[in-house]
Amino acid sequence: MPDAGRPAAAPARTTTGTPAPPAPASVVVVGAGIAGARTVLELRAQGFAGRVTLLGAEGVAPYDRPPLSKHLLDRPAPAWLADELGADALAAADDVRLAYPATGLAVDDDGVRVATADGEVAADAVVVATGAAAVRPPAWGGALTLHTAADAERLRAALGLPHGLADGTAAPGTPAGRPRRLVVVGAGWIGAEVATVAAAAGVDVTVVEAREAPLMTALGAEVGALTAPWFDRAGVRLLTGVTVAAVDDDAVRLADGTALPADAVLAAVGARPATGWLAGALPLEPDGSVLVDERHTPVGGSWRVRVVGDVARRRSARHGWVPGGHWDAALRGPAVAVAGLLGHDAAESDLAPYVFSTQLGHELALYGLPGAGDDVVLRGDPAEDEGWTALWFAPGTGTLTAAFAVDRPRDVGGARRLFAAATLPRLDRARAADPAVPLPKALAG
């Protein structure tokens, strides 16, 4: 076991010259997903020799969430993070409690106390990494969600494909010869990924989207509409601009009175930070997130608290306020948070927002944050099969705010390089629109 005593260190100072807070001797990490697991590993990697407690809510070892939708049917077992990361956060912690959901937090001059149903855990500092919870409106009581490994198992069972090996027909309780019917409510990242794998397994899939185009929240209407034809080609029925009134045991009822028969319904309308347990302890935004600075300290809060992953809405000098929900941020953000907690300099403190997805026969990657009023420039022809990229520019300027690459891995690499600088890149729009010009070569002189 690591030494639980306080590591010896010279007094640190902040950039303003004032003494930095003392290094903690004990840290409790709340949340056993990728952000929590990475936090534990980063504490040890950055030399923390004090006591580390890891609290989880699901009662299982840390696992990776993206495969839950991307590999719903071909990888039914969880993708354990110990294998994915090549290191075991459970072994790196001193005290692991995987079925201890947090119910409250208290912070004072002496330390922090995390309340659970089984008692209180005290430490010098806390890292909040409790992730998010899927949204399911009250009137959709019959709908399933997909955010945990248990959710994935329930969805597989509802589709009659508990092991990902059946072809979708003649499932238990289904008339012989009729495929199972799945209605997915929401054409965002998760909804499209599940629709993809279910349709490929022979399930009859309908996707219902209240907005006018898929992926509108992330991409806006213009670019989101370019993904709509993919659904039909993948054998998925897409209904846009329609809302759900209720979910019954065997159907989805739309607001216009239409009933869509369903053997299973998936509510894929987003997720909210799992921060109800923080009420009264930290200031919460309307969506439940916590505003944090560049070192993941709550804005106006104590040095004893760091917030990472889906819970954090991070301040970025390059992108402004960056919402959670980015897997890459959950993977890499803990290194920044731990460096701040221990008084170290982070190797990279301003991570670019990044989302990746495999859906409907395409590989997608989004870097940056598109603005609602940004100008869109297409790089390549979406009607062709050779891939294309959408670029967002601040109105009337060459300032690139985001890039969305479809089947163009070179543009993914180029966008990663462009958004690694301290400020948003400025491009020559004409050169950036030419798919033969590498994105970094389109930088304005």
Side-chain angles (χ1 to χ4, degrees):
M1 291 288 183
D3 184 356
R6 185 183 301 275
R13 304 188 76 81
T14 67
T15 55
T16 61
T18 58
S26 57
V27 177
V28 55
V29 179
V30 187
I34 189 167
R38 284 294 303 163
T39 297
V40 172
L41 294 173
E42 279 295 332
L43 282 164
R44 297 310 187 201
Q46 295 190 35
F48 181 68
R51 183 173 181 81
V52 177
T53 301
L54 176 63
L55 305 181
E58 295 181 47
V60 296
Y63 61 89
D64 206 8
R65 295 193 191 278
L68 296 180
S69 54
K70 293 176 173 65
H71 297 284
L72 175 70
L73 302 181
D74 66 354
R75 194 192 295 181
W80 304 114
L81 284 176
D83 298 326
E84 299 285 309
L85 301 177
D88 188 356
L90 304 188
D94 300 284
D95 184 5
V96 177
R97 311 182 193 187
L98 294 178
Y100 277 67
T103 58
L105 173 66
V107 183
D108 56 34
D109 292 342
D110 296 324
V112 302
R113 300 183 305 281
V114 177
T116 75
D118 297 292
E120 194 174 77
V121 178
D124 289 336
V126 61
V127 179
V128 176
T130 41
V135 172
R136 181 174 56 194
W140 301 3
L144 301 172
T145 57
L146 180 57
H147 192 73
T148 69
D151 290 340
E153 187 55 43
R154 281 189 287 268
L155 180 56
R156 280 191 291 269
L159 294 176
L161 305 169
H163 304 296
L165 300 176
D167 63 1
T169 61
T174 303
R178 176 174 73 73
R180 298 286 275 182
R181 299 164 301 191
L182 170 66
V183 175
V184 179
V185 185
W189 303 111
I190 299 298
E193 289 174 359
V194 172
T196 299
V197 298
V203 177
D204 182 341
V205 183
T206 299
V207 175
V208 178
E209 171 56 52
R211 307 188 73 181
E212 60 193 81
L215 291 172
M216 263 191 69
T217 299
L219 306 179
E222 180 180 353
V223 179
L226 298 175
T227 72
W230 301 348
F231 287 79
D232 184 61
R233 294 173 198 159
V236 177
R237 181 188 182 197
L238 173 66
L239 304 177
T240 58
V242 294
T243 57
V244 171
V247 175
D248 299 328
D249 291 339
D250 59 355
V252 172
R253 289 191 289 110
L254 304 182
D256 64 5
T258 301
L260 302 175
D263 298 299
V265 179
L266 175 67
V269 292
R272 290 176 60 90
T275 53
W277 67 283
L278 290 172
L282 297 178
L284 303 179
E285 293 298 288
D287 67 350
S289 63
V290 178
L291 295 181
V292 301
D293 64 16
E294 292 82 355
R295 291 201 158 200
H296 290 265
T297 307
V299 173
S302 169
W303 70 268
R304 297 180 183 276
V305 182
R306 305 290 154 151
V307 181
V308 295
D310 292 355
V311 176
R313 182 174 291 267
R314 175 176 57 88
R315 185 171 60 204
S316 163
R318 186 174 50 238
H319 299 281
W321 289 105
V322 178
H326 298 96
W327 176 90
D328 191 57
L331 177 72
R332 299 161 63 206
V336 181
V338 168
L341 187 62
L342 302 184
H344 302 162
D345 290 327
E348 182 182 6
S349 60
D350 195 358
L351 308 175
Y354 169 53
V355 178
F356 67 96
S357 180
T358 300
Q359 58 179 250
L360 306 164
H362 299 279
E363 298 290 332
L364 318 179
L366 173 65
Y367 268 95
L369 284 180
D374 286 354
D375 300 333
V376 175
V377 173
L378 292 181
R379 178 178 164 85
D381 187 352
E384 301 293 334
D385 294 328
E386 296 182 357
W388 53 276
T389 295
L391 304 175
W392 284 265
F393 291 90
T397 74
T399 300
L400 185 70
T401 59
F404 174 61
V406 178
D407 301 326
R408 285 185 64 88
R410 289 186 179 180
D411 283 357
V412 176
R416 182 183 294 114
R417 288 176 57 188
L418 289 174
F419 287 118
T423 59
L424 290 173
R426 293 184 58 83
L427 307 186
D428 180 302
R429 285 199 188 192
R431 286 179 58 77
D434 185 346
V437 177
L439 274 177
K441 297 291 186 181
L443 281 167

